[in-house]
Amino acid sequence: MIITLTIVIVLGVIFQNYLLRAVKTVRFIDEFNTAVEEARKGVTIMNKELRETNNSDDGSYDIESATATQIVFFSNIDSDSQVEKIRYFLEDKNLNKGVI
């Protein structure tokens, strides 16, 4: 009886370890997929806005400035009569957007 109980306990511990690893892996994959989907949505919006660049209301060029960490351009993103100034920039490894 003791040998059987010991075998069951050892198998239970082994099964528990595999189950915990599987749960952690599934959680990581789910978070990764969510992050990829959010990034895809952001890039799609940014791509659409960049394709629809316009001269500013004061006649400035479509793209005001572009560096390795930011791009500033003019685009009518809300379909009103005014062209907005859009700034995408990296800050602490995050892509942020500013609209004027």
Side-chain angles (χ1 to χ4, degrees), residues 38-81:
E38 289 296 317
R40 189 173 291 140
K41 287 177 187 176
V43 168
T44 300
I45 292 169
M46 184 177 170
N47 186 23
K48 179 181 179 279
E49 292 172 354
L50 279 166
R51 288 179 183 263
E52 297 175 358
T53 58
N54 294 318
N55 289 341
S56 71
D57 291 336
D58 67 1
S60 299
Y61 288 111
D62 297 0
I63 297 176
E64 183 176 282
S65 68
T67 65
T69 58
Q70 79 170 355
I71 183 167
V72 181
F73 61 95
F74 297 95
S75 183
N76 188 359
I77 61 171
D78 57 5
S79 301
D80 61 2
S81 62

Side-chain angles (χ1 to χ4, degrees), residues 3-94:
I3 295 173
T4 305
L5 186 59
T6 304
I7 291 173
V8 168
I9 290 173
V10 168
L11 290 175
V13 169
I14 292 171
F15 178 73
Q16 179 186 9
N17 287 337
Y18 282 119
L19 185 63
L20 289 175
R21 285 183 186 172
V23 168
K24 287 180 183 179
T25 302
V26 168
R27 187 176 301 139
F28 172 78
I29 290 171
D30 186 46
E31 290 172 0
F32 180 79
N33 287 336
T34 301
V36 167
E37 186 60 32
E38 289 296 317
R40 189 173 291 140
K41 287 177 187 176
V43 168
T44 300
I45 292 169
M46 184 177 170
N47 186 23
K48 179 181 179 279
E49 292 172 354
L50 279 166
R51 288 179 183 263
E52 297 175 358
T53 58
N54 294 318
N55 289 341
S56 71
D57 291 336
D58 67 1
S60 299
Y61 288 111
D62 297 0
I63 297 176
E64 183 176 282
S65 68
T67 65
T69 58
Q70 79 170 355
I71 183 167
V72 181
F73 61 95
F74 297 95
S75 183
N76 188 359
I77 61 171
D78 57 5
S79 301
D80 61 2
S81 62
Q82 295 179 338
V83 175
E84 288 78 28
K85 182 177 183 179
I86 309 224
R87 176 179 173 238
Y88 281 99
F89 58 99
L90 289 175
E91 185 176 67
D92 298 327
K93 297 183 180 182
N94 292 318

